[in-house]
C-alpha cells in the first residue's frame, strides 16, 4: 500500500458508542464512521466483530476507498469490556480471522484515552462515560489497570450510576425518607411528569426506557452547581472516586515524585464544569505535586490510531498531523 493509502484501521469502542478512523502513514484521516456501543461483554465476541466490520466497511465506502481485504497494514482496536487477558485473546483471534490487516493489536479503551491525551502514551487516564475506569503506563513500561465490571469490581460513578443517584435522592425527597432537594423537581421535569412517583411507576412497567436514567447525569451536575446540598454531596463523592483511581495508579507506578500526565476523558468528565475538574486536579496534586492534569482534547479513537502509527514506526510529524487534524476544543481545561 502507498504511503498515502490506508495504513491503520483504528477503533475505539465504549459502552455507548464506537468510532472508527482509517489513517495513512502520514497521519492523514482517510475515512471515519461512528455507531452504537459494541462491547464484547454486552453483545458477545461475534456480535462485536460483526458490528465493527460493518462500521469499518461503512467508513471505507463513504470515503470511496476499496473494501477488498486487507483494509490496511495494521488494526488497532481498543474497546470497553476487555478487562482480562482471556477477553483480549478471544477478540484478537476473532478479528484476526477477518483478515483486515497483517498485524493487529487489541486492548482496553482506557489505554486509547491515555495515548490520545498524553504526549507519549505514559501517565494516568481516568475515563467516565457510561461506566468508570482508570489505567496507567509508567515510563518503564509497567501497566496498572482495573477491571470495570460495575459494583462487583468495586466501581462507582459511571454516568448511569450517577443518574440512578439523582433519581434515588429525588424519590426519597418526595416520599419523606430523605432530605429536601432540588433534584425532586428536576427529575420529574426531565421526564415531563408531575411526580417522581410517576417516573418510578413508568420504569417499573417499562413505559419509560431505563436507558433514559443516564440522561439524569448532566442534570445532577447542573443542580449541584446551582447550590443544592444533596446533589453536591453526590458530586463530591464522584470527585473522590475519580481522584482515587488516579492516586492509586500514581502510587503503584511510582509516579508521585515525577511529572506524570493525568488525562481525564469520557462523556461525563468532558462535560462537567471547571470547578469539578479543578477539585480533581487539586486532589491529584496532593499525591503527585508535579502532575499535569488535563481533559482530553481529541477523541480516544485518535489514541487507537496513534498506537497504530507507533506500531508502524511512523514519524513524529505524522503523529502531530493526526492530532492537529482531529483536535477539538475541550469544554474545560486544566486551571494550571
Amino acid at each position: 500500500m502507498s504511503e498515502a493509502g490506508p495504513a491503520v484501521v483504528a477503533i475505539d469502542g465504549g459502552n455507548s458508542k464506537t468510532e472508527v478512523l482509517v489513517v495513512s502513514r502520514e497521519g492523514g484521516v482517510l475515512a471515519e464512521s461512528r455507531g452504537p456501543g459494541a462491547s464484547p461483554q454486552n453483545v458477545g465476541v461475534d456480535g462485536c466483530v460483526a458490528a465493527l466490520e460493518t462500521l469499518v466497511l461503512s467508513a471505507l465506502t463513504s470515503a470511496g476507498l476499496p473494501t477488498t481485504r486487507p483494509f490496511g497494514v495494521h488494526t488497532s482496536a481498543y474497546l470497553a469490556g476487555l478487562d482480562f487477558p482471556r477477553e483480549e485473546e478471544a477478540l484478537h483471534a476473532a478479528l484476526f480471522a477477518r483478515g483486515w490487516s497483517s498485524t493487529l493489536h487489541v486492548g482496553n479503551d482506557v489505554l486509547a484515552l491515555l495515548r490520545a491525551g498524553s504526549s507519549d502514551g505514559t501517565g494516568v487516564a481516568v475515563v467516565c462515560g457510561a461506566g468508570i475506569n482508570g489505567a496507567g503506563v509508567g515510563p518503564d513500561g509497567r501497566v496498572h489497570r482495573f477491571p470495570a465490571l460495575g459494583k462487583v469490581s468495586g466501581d462507582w460513578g459511571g454516568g448511569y450510576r450517577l443518574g440512578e443517584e439523582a433519581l434515588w435522592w429525588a424519590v426519597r425527597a418526595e416520599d419523606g425518607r430523605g432530605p429536601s432537594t432540588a433534584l425532586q423537581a428536576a427529575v420529574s421535569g426531565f421526564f415531563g411528569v408531575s411526580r417522581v412517583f410517576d417516573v418510578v411507576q413508568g420504569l417499573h412497567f417499562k413505559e419509560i426506557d431505563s436507558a433514559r436514567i443516564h440522561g439524569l447525569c448532566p442534570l445532577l451536575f447542573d443542580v449541584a452547581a446551582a447550590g443544592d446540598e444533596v446533589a453536591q454531596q453526590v458530586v463530591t463523592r464522584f470527585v473522590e472516586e475519580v481522584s482515587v483511581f488516579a492516586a492509586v495508579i500514581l502510587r503503584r507506578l511510582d509516579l508521585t515524585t515525577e511529572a506524570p500526565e493525568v488525562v481525564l476523558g469520557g462523556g461525563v468528565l468532558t462535560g462537567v464544569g471547571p470547578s469539578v475538574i479543578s477539585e480533581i486536579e487539586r486532589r491529584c496534586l496532593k499525591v503527585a505535586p508535579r502532575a499535569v492534569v488535563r481533559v482530553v482534547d481529541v477523541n480516544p479513537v485518535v489514541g487507537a490510531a496513534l498506537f497504530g502509527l507507533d506500531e508502524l514506526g511512523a514519524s513524529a510529524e505524522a503523529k502531530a498531523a493526526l492530532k492537529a487534524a482531529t483536535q477539538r476544543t475541550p469544554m474545560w481545561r486544566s486551571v494550571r
Side-chain angles (χ1 to χ4, degrees):
M1 294 184 181
S2 71
E3 286 288 308
V8 177
V9 177
I11 297 168
D12 171 66
N15 289 301
S16 59
K17 65 177 176 63
T18 304
E19 291 186 297
V20 171
L21 286 182
V22 180
V23 178
S24 73
R25 286 182 183 269
E26 298 172 342
V29 177
L30 306 179
E32 55 189 309
S33 63
R34 179 171 176 165
S39 168
Q41 284 184 359
N42 297 332
V43 300
V45 171
D46 290 342
C48 172
V49 171
L52 296 182
E53 183 156 300
T54 296
L55 284 173
V56 172
L57 289 172
S58 173
L60 294 170
T61 300
S62 297
L65 294 171
T67 56
T68 52
R69 298 162 201 267
F71 303 144
V73 180
H74 180 76
T75 298
S76 182
Y78 288 79
L79 290 94
L82 299 181
D83 295 302
F84 298 98
R86 68 177 73 175
E87 292 171 322
E88 293 182 355
E89 292 163 6
L91 184 62
H92 188 284
L95 279 178
F96 194 75
R98 295 287 178 132
W100 293 2
S101 57
S102 57
T103 58
L104 162 70
H105 186 84
V106 301
N108 188 273
D109 63 337
V110 72
L111 294 173
L113 170 66
L114 176 58
R115 185 65 183 91
S118 64
S119 58
D120 61 2
T122 66
V124 176
V126 181
V127 60
C128 185
I132 189 168
N133 199 5
V137 178
D140 57 3
R142 284 186 297 150
V143 177
H144 189 77
R145 289 174 50 184
F146 302 88
L149 306 174
K151 200 167 185 179
V152 68
S153 58
D155 307 335
W156 185 94
Y160 189 87
R161 179 60 185 270
L162 290 168
E164 285 185 320
E165 286 289 314
L167 177 58
W168 192 84
W169 286 106
V171 169
R172 293 173 72 88
E174 185 172 274
D175 68 19
R177 287 179 291 170
S180 176
T181 170
L183 288 169
Q184 179 182 341
V187 168
S188 58
F190 177 84
F191 287 101
V193 296
S194 59
R195 302 175 302 168
V196 181
F197 176 81
D198 296 324
V199 178
V200 175
Q201 184 171 244
L203 290 167
H204 175 68
F205 288 109
K206 296 182 172 50
E207 296 162 349
I208 295 175
D209 185 352
S210 62
R212 293 189 66 193
I213 291 174
H214 195 292
L216 295 176
C217 178
L219 178 147
L220 169 70
F221 285 96
D222 288 344
V223 172
D228 184 80
E229 292 185 5
V230 171
Q232 287 176 341
Q233 289 172 6
V234 179
V235 171
T236 296
R237 182 179 177 189
F238 168 72
V239 166
E240 175 63 20
E241 195 69 15
V242 172
S243 304
V244 164
F245 266 109
V248 169
I249 297 166
L250 289 166
R251 292 188 178 109
R252 294 289 174 89
L253 295 179
D254 300 315
L255 297 175
T256 57
T257 60
E258 306 299 323
E261 296 173 277
V262 178
V263 180
L264 308 176
V268 176
L269 281 168
T270 57
V272 298
S275 61
V276 175
I277 298 300
S278 295
E279 180 59 20
I280 293 170
E281 180 175 54
R282 185 187 70 80
R283 293 177 185 229
C284 288
L285 294 177
K286 289 179 67 176
V287 178
R290 298 172 59 211
V292 177
V293 182
R294 64 168 63 95
V295 177
V296 68
D297 60 358
V298 295
N299 289 343
V301 69
V302 177
L306 288 168
F307 273 133
L309 292 177
D310 293 340
E311 181 71 21
L312 298 181
S315 67
E317 290 77 13
K319 298 169 192 177
L322 173 62
K323 292 198 78 169
T326 54
Q327 195 166 37
R328 55 181 168 79
T329 302
M331 297 184 69
W332 312 110
R333 287 189 182 273
S334 164
V335 297
R336 298 179 75 219

